[in-house]
Amino acid sequence: MKKTLTTLTICLVLAGMAKAQDPNFSQFFASPITLNPALTGKFDGVYRFAANYRNQWPTISNAYTTATASFDMGIMKNRIPDYDQFGIGFMGFTDRAGDGVLTNNFFGVSLAYHKALDENGYNQIGAGFQGVYSNKRLNTDHLTLLDMLTPFGFTNQTQEVFANKQINISYFDLNAGFIYNGSSNGYNNYYIGASMYHINRPKESFTGADYILNPRVTIQAGGKIPVGTYNYLHIAANHSMQAKAHNSMLGGAFSLNVNNDEENPTNVYLGLWYRLNDAAIPYLGLEFGEWQFGASYDVNTSSLKAASQSRGGVEISLIYIKKPVDPNAKKLNCPKF
């Protein structure tokens, strides 16, 4: 009974989806192509694979489950200056809301070019664009409506009439972004970037009335600061704005090099992020060889904590970066996520 009522509440919230924020990750730094199209190809290696999974508010009938996978690489390396980078990337994104009532699927292709501003490649500026095919599906079989309520609970029938059990809409979306990153000595690193999503303001409609999807603007910044010989402090912040919704996150992680190897480190990450007015997010990560894993857990601190039992959501991430075959290949100065 309580679960069904909660599902109904979520469905009512979904009716205002045109004014809601896009899906996002607490480990925004581990999902580069969804954070900013300009981060396409922005890594030191041959190619990069990244994947993320998030289950938000699991105590509220699996309110939101989100997953993404991306692949990007540098291209035309023999035709551009040594410290420039031309990247291409592909991204798949899925988000299920209301225990599967509303499913959003996205597939995107992005291009970005990064231009070195000095002879050592310490400072770069880049811009990127992303085209996305979007599909949203509303499954009316999973809807629980008020007229199904009886003194004995809920029935399986409703007076509402739906032309189709599944209502689909599809549209094209356009995103863009830029990023600047720099270093004073090749060991430290700092960056600042901005991106805009839904530039073309696509229309969404499930009921015949058109809703304009509001643009989303994000600003991100961070840095890597050496601490001792092989260890680093990583700091990062991200702020997004969409209609009247705002989402701000800031925090950091300390990376401990446990094998004291600068070229092939094994790093353990321990960090904490905070989403303003919403959640504290402890983070644990492991990096070895070409792999990096991360796990975080949202501890809800907002007024919703009574319903969520302070369980905001679990999130895991994976990044694989194929290293160059030539150990003497020139290294790109890139933000460290």
Side-chain angles (χ1 to χ4, degrees):
M1 179 71 173
K2 290 182 179 179
K3 181 176 179 180
T4 309
L5 285 171
T6 304
T7 303
L8 173 60
T9 303
I10 294 172
C11 294
L12 294 175
V13 172
L14 294 176
M17 64 184 175
K19 298 181 180 179
Q21 277 195 306
D22 290 340
N24 60 82
F25 292 102
S26 292
Q27 296 180 50
F28 58 89
F29 47 87
S31 184
I33 296 184
T34 62
L35 177 64
N36 189 334
L39 290 171
T40 303
K42 191 62 173 171
F43 63 95
D44 186 34
V46 180
Y47 59 82
R48 173 175 61 185
F49 172 80
N52 308 74
Y53 172 80
R54 175 178 177 80
N55 187 357
Q56 183 173 344
W57 301 330
T59 59
I60 311 179
S61 301
N62 292 317
Y64 297 96
T65 55
T66 307
T68 184
S70 65
F71 175 88
D72 61 330
M73 62 183 296
I75 58 175
M76 301 178 64
K77 294 187 176 183
N78 295 327
R79 299 185 182 182
I80 58 178
D82 285 342
Y83 291 109
D84 286 11
Q85 179 84 326
F86 189 14
I88 184 171
F90 306 89
M91 178 270 296
F93 198 123
T94 184
D95 179 69
R96 290 167 52 88
D99 207 13
V101 172
L102 179 64
T103 302
N104 307 287
N105 293 311
F106 311 94
F107 177 77
V109 180
S110 55
L111 291 171
Y113 192 89
H114 305 275
K115 179 64 181 176
L117 303 178
D118 55 68
E119 62 180 8
N120 295 316
Y122 284 174
N123 296 274
Q124 290 185 331
I125 189 168
F129 295 89
Q130 185 179 70
V132 178
Y133 169 79
S134 305
N135 175 264
K136 298 194 174 188
R137 183 175 70 249
L138 181 66
N139 190 338
T140 61
D141 276 345
H142 291 175
L143 289 175
T144 305
L145 304 173
L146 285 174
D147 66 349
M148 300 167 66
L149 181 62
T150 72
F152 306 101
F154 282 88
T155 69
N156 293 322
Q157 296 180 347
T158 176
Q159 299 301 314
E160 298 290 340
V161 178
F162 297 99
N164 300 294
K165 291 187 177 181
Q166 291 190 348
I167 304 173
N168 291 272
I169 58 171
S170 300
Y171 54 84
F172 172 78
D173 212 349
L174 180 64
N175 312 317
F178 80 91
I179 188 169
Y180 164 79
N181 75 282
S183 175
S184 62
N185 55 17
Y187 291 93
N188 59 21
N189 189 280
Y190 42 87
Y191 68 91
I192 183 170
S195 53
M196 177 176 284
Y197 294 79
H198 320 308
I199 295 175
N200 56 324
R201 297 174 63 86
K203 295 180 180 180
E204 294 184 337
S205 174
F206 280 119
T207 61
D210 290 332
Y211 297 91
I212 302 298
L213 189 58
N214 291 299
R216 174 168 60 94
V217 176
T218 66
I219 301 171
Q220 57 276 166
K224 181 183 74 170
I225 305 169
V227 180
T229 305
Y230 301 115
N231 307 318
Y232 291 90
L233 176 64
H234 302 265
I235 55 176
N238 183 41
H239 178 71
S240 64
M241 302 161 283
Q242 188 173 11
K244 295 181 180 181
H246 294 260
N247 184 17
S248 299
M249 291 187 61
L250 68 163
F254 179 77
S255 66
L256 176 66
N257 188 319
V258 296
N259 65 345
N260 294 321
D261 189 333
E262 183 179 8
E263 295 299 323
N264 295 287
T266 297
N267 291 319
V268 175
Y269 292 82
L270 182 64
L272 179 68
W273 267 261
Y274 181 64
R275 183 182 296 109
L276 297 185
N277 303 315
D278 183 61
I281 308 162
Y283 167 77
L284 181 65
L286 176 64
E287 178 184 21
F288 61 93
E290 299 172 323
W291 298 88
Q292 183 171 336
F293 300 89
S296 61
Y297 192 86
D298 289 20
V299 181
N300 190 243
T301 59
S302 70
S303 58
L304 188 64
K305 64 183 179 181
S308 68
Q309 301 174 24
S310 297
R311 294 170 57 189
V314 63
E315 187 173 315
I316 57 175
S317 65
L318 177 152
I319 295 178
Y320 174 81
I321 297 178
K322 177 64 177 178
K323 294 183 177 180
V325 177
D326 182 5
N328 298 317
K330 292 184 178 180
K331 293 185 177 181
L332 295 177
N333 180 42
C334 300
K336 178 67 175 180
F337 299 106

